[in-house]
Every structure is written in structure tokens, then in C-alpha cells.
Amino acid sequence: MSIPIAQQRMLLQRSGNVCAFPDCRLLLTAAGPPDYPVVLLGEMAHIVAESPNGPRGDSPLTTEQRNLYQNLILL
């Protein structure tokens, strides 16, 4: 299962275009070449793993809950 578009949009819009990692706070976009003027630098990540077998996967969250905004971070 992938992260629903609505959840991705919420994460991106609420991020303020800055990394959520403590003490980082770098911008998640940068100027690019003329034919591609904005470069995306950020990566979405799950706080509790998407899969129960993944890193940090031991959680009572359902598969659907793992892909919600509340379990995502933008770095």
C-alpha cells in the first residue's frame, strides 16, 4: 500500500518547506536548471514502518494508519 496523495499533500503543505529533523531545518526545495526550475530535495518517511517487518515496524497501527499524515515525516 502506498501513501495516499491527500496525505502526501498534507505533509508537504504543513512542512513549511523545511526539514523536520531536529537542528536541520534546511529548505526542501532548491533552484534548478532553466528547464526544471525547482528541484525537490525532501524525502517522505514513515515514523512507524509501513510494514510490520520493517525497521520500527513493531506497532499496533494498522496498514492504513501507517500511511496517514500523523505517521509521516518529511526530511
Side-chain angles (χ1 to χ4, degrees), residues 2-74:
S2 62
I3 302 169
I5 296 296
Q7 300 298 309
Q8 292 181 39
R9 291 185 68 191
M10 191 180 324
L11 180 65
L12 291 166
Q13 291 175 352
R14 305 257 348 245
S15 75
N17 192 36
V18 293
C19 177
F21 192 79
D23 300 324
C24 177
R25 312 307 288 169
L26 292 175
L27 293 178
L28 298 174
T29 56
D35 57 328
Y36 201 78
V38 178
V39 178
L40 304 176
L41 306 173
E43 285 287 330
M44 289 182 206
H46 291 85
I47 297 167
V48 170
E50 183 176 20
S51 166
N53 299 326
R56 305 168 321 282
D58 186 22
S59 171
L61 293 178
T62 66
T63 302
E64 184 176 280
Q65 291 170 323
R66 291 169 188 254
N67 284 310
L68 294 178
Y69 162 78
Q70 294 87 339
N71 187 47
L72 301 172
I73 191 167
L74 192 57

